Amino acid sequence: MNGTSSLSAWKEYYFYLFTVCIDRGYAEELMARFGLQALHWERLPEIADRVIQACAPHMREEQAAELTHARDSFCQALDAATADPATADPADSPSKSPRPDTCRPDPPAPMRHPAIQLSLALRRCLNCHDSCVDTVIDALLQTSPEGSRPSAPPLPRILHELADQFALTRTEQNIVAVLFAAADQPQFGELLQHHLSSFASGELLAEAARVDTRTLVQETMQGSHLSVLGFIDSGLGRDEFLDTTLSNQLVFTLRSGTLEDLRAGLFSPTPPPRHRLEDFPLPRAEVRNCIAALAGGHPLLLCGPPGIGKTEYARSLIHHLGRTPRTLAASSTMPFRGTHSAGTMRLNAASTAAHLLDPDRDILLIDEADNVLQSASGFFALMSGQDSSYDKARLNELLEHLPVPTIWITNQHRLIPDSALRRFGHVAAFPHPPASFRQRLLRDRLLNLTDAEHDDGWSRDLAARYDLTPAAVERTARIVAAELENHTITRGDVPDRVRGYIDELCSSDLAQDVRRLPAVDPGFRPELCSTSSCLERTAQLARHRAESGKGLRLLLDGPPGGGKTQFALWLARHLDRDVHLIRPSDLLSKYVGESEQQIAAAFRHARRTGSLLIIDEADALLYDRASAVRSWEHSQIAEFLQQVQEFDGIMAACTNRITAVDPALRRRFHRHISFGPIARDQLAPALAWIFPEASFHPADLEGLLAGPDLMMSDLAAAREMLEIETEMAAGTPQNSPAPASAVIAEILDHAGARDRSSRIGFSP
């Protein structure tokens, strides 16, 4: 069944509601205004004639004159418009068919001003006397054929289009129509909200929709068809009939009169994917789970910090499945306006959008879904003090009844209700890009901006030193490209400019997309360390275990400065892995049970991201249980024991006090390596590497060996201090080498200070 033209049909429908209100005894000024609003403009002179005849004695002279003048002006303009074909409404021309949804609902251009003036004059008369209100209402009722009460008119065409698209019943159409009238017509809405009790409002709505109140409640309650479609909203609950309102997008659609405006407002353009699915850092098993969830028609949740590539991954995933991505528009870009919060509006929009798509061809992509998913927990309402939340059962209902596969993207999943999380087909925690992925991003986006045909290693160095998100790389590329275009820098300057810009980002207060990583000293060489096992052989073993998908647990002990932590950092660089460095202060808490949770979280993070886990100052965490006296000390060690035993990644625990480590924990490590002072045969190579510009004689070496035990840190610290002294003496950095005697004196000074700091008590 086709509906009548929308604009004129709404006029007829509003006039029908006016008669329903009058039949129920609501004859007052508000209803008179409602009737005038719903009246067809050509009938305004009839109402004016009745008011002038019946109410002139009760009107002030100037009011009567104003109404008479407005009526006469209207009639003169109507006669002129009818006589002049050039000013006639195109809809009246027999040579042209009327536009869809248009049937003279509003006056043509020459009649608009006279019609408005006459309507205003009639409304002002309502304030003169009660008899004027009664006269206007009686006159309005008599404009119906033979003065009879009209039956319910045919519904506007847009309601029938909605019924065809969303399978609405006739009862649901009638309910939508009367709820729209409450939102669209101020006088009708005011009557329901402020002049009637809740029960009386429900009875009026039910009568206008031609149903009983029980049916009205059932058709608008949570879980009903209209609720599943996202057409109605009840906030956090429904205590009264008027707690139920139409969603913003449905009100917008009914006003516009076309479904095309609804589709245009619900969706935003989706850029094509720029990467292959295998380019992203998710494990194969995780990608397989994502594909299975979408293939089964279930919603998929991608969560992780902003800027790490979740949206790009979603587009690539949809492309891999051969589907069409349809992105739900952000609430700020939707043309819908209303009183609902952004979270509620997007929730309703997601429900409606899903029913407009083809489940065999489309996938709905909901980016920045935090306000939708977290509003169900009441978090945003708590923080904003506004009614921005809704019953979480609505979210659960939506997730259960989505007719198309859907990808939801959020930055934080902890504030999402557990009941909602359980309804996702799969929840994927999107990891930070690992070093290999970051290096590829840097090379792909920035290498073409340089004058080098091949990467000389600067991208690998940057990837190892900084945890960069794809957003940070993209921002860097834009800045560098702009400076190249403006001739601020040359292509040869690009590597240094990239390093400088990324370093500036790290120091910024808004450094969210980039952070410095623990990095090995560029001068570290494992063959110069004095160890109980060959470090090169250990690195080969670690690579073999990593490539075979197995773990390796290393226990590194020795006095400070021997190179334990540096070797662990070097090993991570050697394996192209990120570093997850934890210290006792990162894990220990004053609250009982929280330390165990943070210990488990540290291992879980390293496992999920594939990072090399380094536990520095491990003796403070792995101490002997025999020395524990409190229950929580035992539980912490037990938690560490279990996590170390089950960890299947690469880890290194560094300690200065191996005897303090629990024996059971020591047995959980695959290899125990001791680091010691520089050996006699390693001193000369170490000096040559760290001080290549100095010449050392055998007597110099004997002088160093005769002093305190030397650690690699003594040589590195001496080098740094000599560079500082040289710069201070000359004012600028100098390349002139320090004499061997100065180098030896500086090394012995550092070694002596370290040796004295290890003693307890006063020296004589």
Side-chain angles (χ1 to χ4, degrees):
M1 173 183 176
N2 291 327
T4 61
S5 301
S6 290
L7 297 177
S8 60
W10 282 122
K11 283 279 189 180
E12 294 179 20
Y13 183 76
Y14 294 155
F15 196 82
Y16 156 73
L17 291 181
F18 162 73
T19 62
V20 172
C21 294
I22 297 303
D23 282 345
R24 294 186 64 85
Y26 307 138
E28 53 187 32
E29 180 185 342
L30 185 66
M31 287 298 94
R33 294 180 183 276
F34 181 36
L36 289 173
Q37 181 73 19
L39 183 68
H40 195 282
W41 63 273
E42 290 180 330
R43 295 187 179 274
L44 287 173
E46 301 176 31
I47 308 298
D49 287 339
R50 291 288 304 274
V51 172
I52 291 173
Q53 294 173 6
C55 301
H58 306 290
M59 297 170 62
R60 295 195 304 272
E61 182 177 349
E62 60 271 17
Q63 282 187 319
E66 177 191 13
L67 181 58
T68 303
H69 176 73
R71 181 202 58 184
D72 295 343
S73 299
F74 180 94
C75 294
Q76 293 173 5
L78 182 61
D79 292 340
T82 305
D84 186 1
T87 61
D89 188 358
D92 294 334
S93 175
S95 62
K96 296 182 181 180
S97 59
R99 296 172 300 166
D101 294 344
T102 302
C103 186
R104 294 179 61 88
D106 290 317
M111 294 300 304
R112 287 172 190 164
H113 181 71
I116 292 173
Q117 293 301 314
L118 181 54
S119 178
L120 291 175
L122 282 169
R123 294 183 189 184
R124 282 192 283 268
C125 290
L126 297 175
N127 298 323
C128 296
H129 197 270
D130 291 342
S131 62
C132 292
V133 174
D134 296 335
T135 300
V136 169
I137 290 177
D138 290 341
L140 287 169
L141 294 176
Q142 291 183 12
T143 58
S144 302
E146 299 180 358
S148 63
R149 298 291 191 270
S151 59
L155 293 175
R157 179 182 303 166
I158 182 61
L159 277 170
H160 295 283
E161 293 179 3
L162 286 168
D164 294 339
Q165 177 68 49
F166 297 100
L168 299 182
T169 65
R170 184 56 184 263
T171 296
E172 290 170 339
Q173 294 178 60
N174 291 334
I175 292 174
V176 168
V178 70
L179 290 178
F180 173 68
D184 189 59
Q185 291 299 302
Q187 297 86 0
F188 186 58
E190 184 179 348
L191 173 69
L192 294 169
Q193 291 281 359
H194 304 295
H195 294 263
L196 301 180
S197 66
S198 174
F199 184 76
S201 296
E203 285 188 325
L204 176 57
L205 291 173
E207 181 178 346
R210 285 161 287 169
V211 296
D212 54 40
T213 54
R214 181 179 180 181
T215 301
L216 178 66
V217 171
Q218 291 176 342
E219 295 292 341
T220 57
M221 67 188 304
Q222 189 167 287
S224 65
H225 187 216
L226 292 176
S227 175
V228 171
L229 291 173
F231 281 180
I232 58 176
D233 177 65
S234 301
L236 287 173
R238 185 170 73 170
D239 299 323
E240 299 180 354
F241 284 103
L242 293 180
D243 287 339
T244 297
T245 57
L246 291 186
S247 62
N248 294 354
Q249 71 267 15
L250 185 56
V251 172
F252 171 81
T253 303
L254 294 174
R255 283 174 176 163
S256 70
T258 170
L259 286 179
E260 292 306 315
D261 288 342
L262 175 64
R263 294 187 179 95
L266 284 174
F267 302 105
S268 61
T270 306
R274 295 184 297 178
H275 302 282
R276 301 171 301 171
L277 199 58
E278 53 269 23
D279 290 339
F280 292 90
L282 267 73
R284 290 184 179 181
E286 193 74 302
V287 175
R288 181 178 178 181
N289 293 335
C290 295
I291 293 175
L294 294 175
H298 305 294
L300 169 67
L301 177 62
L302 300 178
C303 54
I308 61 175
K310 301 185 297 296
T311 304
E312 282 290 339
Y313 170 75
R315 294 169 184 162
S316 299
L317 182 61
I318 296 173
H319 178 75
H320 176 81
L321 293 172
R323 300 288 190 96
T324 302
R326 301 299 301 275
T327 302
L328 186 70
S331 56
S332 60
T333 64
M334 290 181 181
F336 321 131
R337 294 292 181 268
T339 58
H340 296 155
S341 67
T344 301
M345 186 167 69
R346 288 200 86 200
L347 179 76
N348 293 330
S351 303
T352 306
H355 288 83
L356 286 171
L357 303 181
D358 185 345
D360 298 322
R361 184 185 63 193
D362 301 322
I363 291 181
L364 180 61
L365 177 60
I366 306 177
D367 202 358
E368 304 294 343
D370 302 75
N371 63 343
V372 181
L373 297 174
Q374 296 175 9
S375 289
S377 67
F379 172 78
F380 283 105
L382 178 64
M383 297 301 294
S384 64
Q386 301 175 354
D387 184 14
S388 57
S389 297
Y390 45 80
D391 189 348
K392 65 181 179 182
R394 288 203 61 215
L395 177 60
N396 298 341
E397 173 187 276
L398 170 63
L399 294 173
E400 289 178 349
H401 294 94
L402 281 169
V404 295
T406 311
I407 300 178
W408 302 69
I409 300 176
T410 179
N411 297 331
Q412 176 60 266
H413 72 280
R414 298 185 183 277
L415 296 176
I416 301 174
D418 292 338
S419 60
L421 287 174
R422 291 194 295 270
R423 285 166 168 79
F424 283 97
H426 182 64
V427 178
F430 207 84
H432 263 274
S436 57
F437 184 77
R438 296 197 300 270
Q439 182 180 356
R440 185 167 64 249
L441 278 177
L442 287 164
R443 189 169 55 244
D444 293 346
R445 291 294 290 120
L446 296 170
L447 185 60
N448 63 326
L449 300 179
T450 68
D451 56 4
E453 297 182 1
H454 304 286
D455 186 359
D456 59 359
W458 62 272
S459 63
R460 184 172 185 266
D461 178 68
L462 285 174
R465 288 183 172 274
Y466 301 97
D467 184 5
L468 297 161
T469 66
V473 176
E474 189 67 29
R475 188 182 306 118
T476 304
R478 289 198 299 265
I479 291 294
V480 172
E483 291 186 345
L484 283 173
E485 184 177 353
N486 295 330
H487 304 289
T488 307
I489 60 174
T490 65
R491 289 182 173 270
D493 300 328
V494 168
D496 290 337
R497 178 61 179 125
V498 169
R499 292 189 190 96
Y501 182 72
I502 293 177
D503 197 59
E504 291 171 8
L505 287 179
C506 288
S507 304
S508 170
D509 293 335
L510 303 177
Q512 300 174 350
D513 299 330
V514 57
R515 64 183 179 92
R516 291 187 184 89
L517 294 172
V520 63
D521 189 292
F524 178 79
R525 292 179 61 183
E527 65 270 19
L528 298 180
C529 295
S530 178
T531 58
S532 58
S533 299
C534 178
L535 297 184
E536 286 84 355
R537 174 62 180 166
T538 302
Q540 294 174 5
L541 175 63
R543 180 174 291 279
H544 171 74
R545 298 282 290 183
E547 291 175 350
S548 60
K550 300 177 181 179
L552 179 66
R553 300 186 290 272
L554 303 175
L555 180 58
L556 313 179
D557 84 282
K564 302 181 297 296
T565 305
Q566 284 295 309
F567 169 69
L569 294 172
W570 175 88
L571 183 61
R573 177 77 175 268
H574 178 73
L575 299 176
D576 284 326
R577 295 205 174 195
D578 282 339
V579 172
H580 186 42
L581 177 65
I582 57 176
R583 297 180 175 87
S585 59
D586 300 325
L587 302 179
L588 298 180
S589 171
K590 61 182 178 181
Y591 299 107
V592 175
E594 189 170 291
S595 296
E596 291 85 340
Q597 295 178 11
Q598 294 180 161
I599 291 170
F603 280 87
R604 187 166 54 248
H605 174 83
R607 185 182 295 108
R608 186 179 68 248
T609 59
S611 302
L612 193 149
L613 178 62
I614 301 177
I615 305 175
D616 209 5
E617 306 295 340
D619 48 273
L621 300 168
L622 311 179
Y623 50 86
D624 194 338
R625 282 175 291 182
S627 62
V629 296
R630 298 175 178 85
S631 60
W632 51 264
E633 294 177 320
H634 288 277
S635 64
Q636 288 177 12
I637 301 172
E639 181 67 30
F640 244 119
L641 185 66
Q642 180 180 355
Q643 293 293 339
V644 171
Q645 177 69 33
E646 297 176 354
F647 188 65
D648 55 359
I650 310 295
M651 70 170 294
C654 307
T655 177
N656 301 332
R657 301 166 54 238
I658 187 62
T659 56
V661 177
D662 190 276
L665 277 167
R666 284 187 243 168
R667 292 193 295 270
R668 297 306 195 272
F669 290 89
H670 295 115
R671 178 156 293 185
H672 175 197
I673 303 175
S674 296
F675 286 69
I678 301 175
R680 175 179 288 271
D681 59 344
Q682 291 177 319
L683 180 57
L687 289 171
W689 173 250
I690 298 178
F691 301 96
E693 67 281 356
S695 299
F696 297 95
H697 299 287
D700 298 328
L701 300 180
E702 291 300 328
L704 288 172
L705 293 171
D709 290 338
L710 298 180
M711 309 300 292
M712 290 298 298
S713 61
D714 297 329
L715 275 64
R719 169 77 184 201
E720 185 175 357
M721 283 303 303
L722 289 171
E723 290 176 349
I724 294 174
E725 291 176 359
T726 302
E727 292 177 9
M728 291 178 61
T732 57
Q734 298 292 328
N735 295 323
S736 57
S741 58
V743 172
I744 293 172
E746 193 65 44
I747 292 174
L748 291 174
D749 184 56
H750 279 279
R754 175 179 49 78
D755 187 61
R756 289 192 300 271
S757 64
S758 64
R759 302 170 185 171
I760 299 177
F762 295 96
S763 299

